């Protein structure tokens, strides 16, 4: 059975007070697509204002610390995200795995700390271009999953996986539908191996240069349960056609 699609925007380091109107527009227009879950993951400092601006619409963080509290200057705990009005968070984005040197074990601990307080999690995996070109993509993503998946799905909150090939992020390049389908099928079998039947209920999003012009094709691929969208999520005019494409596939 097909899972309800989730289309989440990752605003990365974009977003000021002046952009709240864009968030209002996205939230209001998304109500026309009840068959799709829509979310925006904004900079931590914008979460509270965004959540207040669009009650009932899912606002998320882009990272979370694995500890509940303590001497971690500049970091944000899961409880803080929740307290600010977030209902989800991204963990393990390749930009953080790279620039902040986050390991699979860090990502796992972050996912578990978020799920434990009731935050939904989008856990990112994806291979580099060098790995793709040498045929190691499945192996690399499999190893990332082995190291970073939470031990159990027993929390009330939901886990989703985002497959984001690093070479497709912000480049306009995307894998072929066959490559996306093979990777998502491989992630699905890993999830089922790990969590049994519950693994079938974990949404697997594709991310990397998703835009209005390619969204319908991507959403039509088996085991693509949504998208994590970067650049094209910043403007309602770019993002809403992607949400509409997800709704159209839902039928
Ligand atoms: P782009 O959609 O800009 O390629 O970014 C994808 C991404 O990194 C989302 O997390």
């Amino acid at each position: 059975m097909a899972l309800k699609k989730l289309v989440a925007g990752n605003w990365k380091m974009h977003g000021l007070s002046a952009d709240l109107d864009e968030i209002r527009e996205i939230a209001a227009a998304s109500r026309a697509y009840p068959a799709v879950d829509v979310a925006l993951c904004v900079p931590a400092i914008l979460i509270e204002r965004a959540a207040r601006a669009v009650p009932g619409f899912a606002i998320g963080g882009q990272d979370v610390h694995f500890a509940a509290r303590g001497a971690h200057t500049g970091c944000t705990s899961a409880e803080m995200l929740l307290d600010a009005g977030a209902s989800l968070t991204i963990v393990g984005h390749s930009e953080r795995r790279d620039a902040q040197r986050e390991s699979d074990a860090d990502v796992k601990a972050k996912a578990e700390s978020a799920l434990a307080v009731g935050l939904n999690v989008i856990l990112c995996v994806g291979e580099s271009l060098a790995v793709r070109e040498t045929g190691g993509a499945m192996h690399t993503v499999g190893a990332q999953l082995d190291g970073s998946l939470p031990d159990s799905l027993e929390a009330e909150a939901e886990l989703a996986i985002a497959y984001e090939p690093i070479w497709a992020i912000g480049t306009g390049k995307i894998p072929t539908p066959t490559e996306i389908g093979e990777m998502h099928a491989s992630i699905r079998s890993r999830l089922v191996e790990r969590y049994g039947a519950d693994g079938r209920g974990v949404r697997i999003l594709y991310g990397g240069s998703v835009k209005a012009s390619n969204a319908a094709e991507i959403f039509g691929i088996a085991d693509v349960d949504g998208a994590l969208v970067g650049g094209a999520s910043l403007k309602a005019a770019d993002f809403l056609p992607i949400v509409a494409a997800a709704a159209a596939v839902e039928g």
Side-chain angles (χ1 to χ4, degrees):
M1 201 196 74
L3 302 173
K4 185 176 183 182
K5 294 219 174 351
L6 167 62
V7 179
N10 175 7
W11 273 27
K12 307 191 179 182
M13 203 167 72
H14 301 277
L16 300 169
S17 302
D19 300 301
L20 291 171
D21 280 343
E22 210 67 43
I23 295 177
R24 284 191 190 93
E25 193 180 335
I26 289 170
S30 294
R31 283 200 218 107
Y33 305 104
V36 180
D37 289 330
V38 184
L40 287 176
C41 297
V42 300
I45 200 165
L46 198 63
I47 290 173
E48 182 160 8
R49 280 170 290 160
R52 282 185 199 278
V54 290
F57 179 82
I59 294 293
Q62 300 171 3
D63 175 49
V64 65
H65 198 276
F66 51 77
R69 66 189 62 76
H72 302 289
T73 303
C75 300
T76 308
S77 72
E79 197 180 5
M80 289 171 186
L81 291 180
L82 202 62
D83 188 49
S87 57
L88 73 153
T89 187
I90 296 168
V91 299
H93 194 282
S94 58
E95 288 154 15
R96 294 198 58 87
R97 285 178 184 263
D98 178 34
Q100 270 71 38
R101 305 264 185 282
E102 289 184 4
S103 67
D104 288 332
D106 294 333
V107 174
K108 176 180 178 181
K110 284 166 183 254
E112 289 183 340
S113 78
L115 292 168
V117 303
L119 276 180
N120 296 329
V121 165
I122 298 175
L123 191 162
C124 303
V125 292
E127 81 285 355
S128 66
L129 184 60
V131 166
R132 168 62 65 179
E133 285 177 345
T134 50
M138 301 271 197
H139 176 80
T140 292
V141 168
Q144 287 174 335
L145 290 171
D146 286 349
S148 55
L149 283 176
D151 278 337
S152 88
L153 290 183
E154 273 157 38
E156 286 295 297
E158 184 199 339
L159 173 72
I161 306 300
Y163 168 55
E164 298 205 308
I166 296 167
W167 51 275
I169 295 176
T171 59
K173 295 185 197 149
I174 60 166
T176 64
T178 305
E179 287 168 337
I180 294 176
E182 283 170 358
M183 184 60 83
H184 280 232
S186 146
I187 294 172
R188 175 69 65 213
S189 33
R190 215 94 187 179
L191 290 168
V192 171
E193 256 167 48
R194 185 73 167 248
Y195 302 123
D198 289 348
R200 298 197 191 285
V202 175
R203 291 188 279 199
I204 308 173
L205 317 183
Y206 169 78
S209 296
V210 176
K211 27 187 195 276
S213 56
N214 58 24
E217 182 172 35
I218 292 169
F219 290 138
I221 302 168
D223 271 320
V224 173
D225 308 309
L228 184 57
V229 185
S233 70
L234 294 172
K235 295 284 172 211
D238 296 326
F239 191 52
L240 292 168
I242 298 173
V243 176
V249 171
E250 292 285 315

